[in-house]
Amino acid sequence: MTATTHTADHADEHHDHKPYGLSRWLFTTNHKDIGTMYLLFGLLMAIVGGFLSLGIRAELFMPGLQILQPETFNSFMTLHGLIMVFGAVMPVFVGFANWLIPMQIGAADMAFPRMNNWSFWMLPPAAILLAASFFVEGGAIQSGWTLYPPLFTQSGIAGDMTILAVHILGASSIMGSINIVTTVLNLRAPGMTLMKMPLFVWTWLITAYLLIAVMPVLAGAVTMLLTDRHFGTSFFNAAGGGDPTMFMHIFWFFGHPEVYIIILPAFGIVSQIIPAFSRKPLFGYASMVYATASIAILSFIVWGHHMFTVGMPAAGQLFFMYATMLIAVPTGVKVFNWIATMWRGSLTFETPMLWALGFLFMFTMGGFTGLVLAITPVDITLHNSYYVVAHFHYTMVAGASFAIFGGVYYWWPKWTGKMYNESAGKLHFWWTTIGFNLTFFPQHFLGLAGMPRRIPDYALQFAEWNMISSIGAFFLAAGQIFFMITLYMSYKSGQPAKDKQWEGADSLEWTHLPSPAPYHTFEVQPVLK
Ligand code: CU1
């Protein structure tokens, strides 16, 4: 079952150069197939990471220890973070990139289709390593997704499995990014200058550069952890002359740009949806591009805001505080442009637009609490509290995930040829919005009241809001089961999608223009009609 050469005479159903069944997915070089696999893999990992979070919220439903031992709780929390960041959100956005970038720039496929296949198929082994680390001697790591030594250094074999998994995930991301950069820079249709590209392509081009810049830094950090554990070095071991604080610097030099690796493609999706449902071109296109690039550049000089509490010179604290606050400027430009796009537009509120608006309100909320935390003395009091948990879940869930849901509903007709059920989509949006805010808004109160994060038990005065937060989490999860059922039913028996599902509004996208494919993608130039 391979795609070897057959002459036309041999051609029958199973000899038309296309692999079928499992080999279609194993050997595929098609950007749409690979995009689908990334999306489904991300969904699977989101389910695993979601179950871990439900374990956490079940334990925190009331004070005392009921369900999880403290060690298991730590492992759940750690793997929830690692799996959601590296297994769910990042692969889902790469799935969007695979599906959309070639179509939006008029290329026939990604620049390196075989490397694209390999990028994807590196993910399952890494996921298996992480999942299997629960079942080895000593259990999964307990350090949190930040892998801080000395706690991480002391973990058992699971520590090495995690290091290997991070290496594989990083290699996959770097290969994916090289593919995206090369595709965008070399395979654009004639006439599509960089400043005419749809904004989703722009955000991914910039994200790919961020990934290429910082994934090797993370690889270096975990390699130093490995040699500290097994080869007698003391990079992060104070007893040997090293410094655990250095790990934090290296990790967050990766970690803060990583935040923007996750959120920039979300900005890109929202920048496609809002113009479509406002029936207007995006307001301030050029300023959107420059704002995205500014955010990316600034993201390299703010890492210290994650470590105000380690004891750094006042000059350092001031630098990282002001640099962090500076990011609010280009972010504000983007929010202004999204609102200006809607201004006097012919707005309609189909499901994708609801998600984009939910994103706008609640991501901005997460941005404001980020500004609060950027203030050094405030961060020093709130750093180890639930306020931080609330803050970054507003950016990661109400930010990244809301954009993902909006993008799924927006492009679902294009991906599947089927239309989803509009009422079900709207119900899913409101269900998720209520569940999300029920879960995470009270965590601001808990943090301000002094509840520490990363603990399986807490003092009695935190009981009520924790109970509400846990009920919200299970309600939120139930909404996602509803979402999966809805989309499955649409896929099986939905109405056929229209050619331009969004009534011409999506014609603002280049996807629909008959842009000729670039000649160097084909051995023989296809005839254009
Ligand atoms: Cu940061």
Side-chain angles (χ1 to χ4, degrees), residues 158-171:
D160 304 313
M161 295 166 79
T162 307
I163 290 171
L164 186 55
V166 168
H167 269 307
I168 296 172
L169 292 164

Side-chain angles (χ1 to χ4, degrees), residues 304-329:
H305 63 211
H306 295 275
M307 33 194 304
F308 283 142
T309 53
V310 301
M312 69 171 73
Q317 293 181 329
L318 286 170
F319 173 81
F320 286 121
M321 174 168 79
Y322 291 132
T324 303
M325 289 175 166
L326 214 53
I327 295 191
V329 177

Side-chain angles (χ1 to χ4, degrees), residues 148-320:
Y148 281 174
L151 185 54
F152 178 85
T153 318
Q154 292 156 4
S155 43
I157 180 83
D160 304 313
M161 295 166 79
T162 307
I163 290 171
L164 186 55
V166 168
H167 269 307
I168 296 172
L169 292 164
S172 162
S173 289
I174 291 168
M175 293 197 302
S177 301
I178 292 170
N179 221 335
I180 287 168
V181 170
T182 314
T183 306
V184 173
L185 294 186
N186 291 325
L187 299 188
R188 276 171 290 127
M192 178 169 285
T193 60
L194 286 174
M195 291 307 275
K196 283 183 181 167
M197 296 194 304
L199 215 81
F200 177 74
V201 181
W202 255 118
T203 55
W204 244 116
L205 178 65
I206 293 166
T207 302
Y209 276 108
L210 281 180
L211 276 165
I212 293 169
V214 300
M215 292 313 288
V217 177
L218 178 66
V222 297
T223 305
M224 284 187 270
L225 285 175
L226 186 79
T227 61
D228 270 11
R229 281 163 58 85
H230 297 296
F231 300 102
T233 58
S234 293
F235 290 111
F236 311 127
N237 174 14
D243 185 355
T245 311
M246 188 172 76
F247 179 85
M248 303 172 78
H249 280 292
I250 301 171
F251 179 87
W252 286 112
F253 188 80
F254 146 80
H256 191 87
E258 169 67 24
V259 172
Y260 290 95
I261 285 164
I262 287 174
I263 208 65
L264 293 185
F267 288 169
I269 291 173
V270 169
S271 301
Q272 303 288 140
I273 294 175
I274 289 181
F277 295 95
S278 307
R279 276 91 196 162
K280 279 174 66 193
L282 186 69
F283 183 90
Y285 174 93
S287 68
M288 282 303 221
V289 173
Y290 298 135
T292 310
S294 311
I295 292 170
I297 291 163
L298 286 172
S299 77
F300 285 108
I301 58 161
V302 299
W303 78 91
H305 63 211
H306 295 275
M307 33 194 304
F308 283 142
T309 53
V310 301
M312 69 171 73
Q317 293 181 329
L318 286 170
F319 173 81
F320 286 121

